[in-house]
Amino acid sequence: MLNYALTLLSAILLVTDRITKLIFREYLLINNGSFYGLIPNSNTILIIFSIITILLLALIITKSNRALVKAGAFFVITGIFANLIDRILFGGVLD
């Protein structure tokens, strides 16, 4: 039951992220590096790293019996997935 609730909440957060970025797109910059623009022009490497991280966190979710661990992993996956969508669509994260 917890996984379904967290999946729904993650989906809502992801949709909210997309809508917000569409509304404010003209004011956003594209960051094709990691945080604070470190490792510039590394979009492909960061896409691969994001996918691997999502898979590892999904494994943690399936193996863990602790609600807080699952919730934290779901929220981190949601953020990574939102950035992954930006990287694929725009060549970087909209900041």
Side-chain angles (χ1 to χ4, degrees):
M1 183 67 175
L2 177 65
N3 286 353
Y4 297 115
L6 290 171
T7 301
L8 179 62
L9 182 57
S10 292
I12 291 168
L13 290 172
L14 189 60
V15 169
T16 303
D17 178 74
R18 299 298 334 139
I19 291 170
T20 304
K21 287 179 179 176
L22 286 173
I23 292 170
F24 295 103
R25 185 173 177 190
E26 63 188 76
Y27 303 105
L28 299 173
L29 301 173
I30 295 178
N31 178 1
N32 61 5
S34 63
F35 62 98
Y36 298 112
L38 297 175
I39 317 172
N41 302 315
S42 57
N43 200 43
T44 304
I45 293 168
L46 292 170
I47 287 173
I48 293 167
F49 182 73
S50 296
I51 292 169
I52 291 168
T53 304
I54 288 170
L55 293 173
L56 290 173
L57 287 170
L59 182 63
I60 289 171
I61 289 169
T62 59
K63 298 291 183 184
S64 178
N65 293 325
R66 299 177 63 196
L68 195 56
V69 171
K70 287 185 177 202
F74 264 99
F75 291 133
V76 172
I77 286 174
T78 302
I80 294 171
F81 195 67
N83 289 348
L84 184 60
I85 291 170
D86 285 349
R87 289 189 185 286
I88 292 169
L89 293 179
F90 306 110
V93 176
L94 295 176
D95 286 333

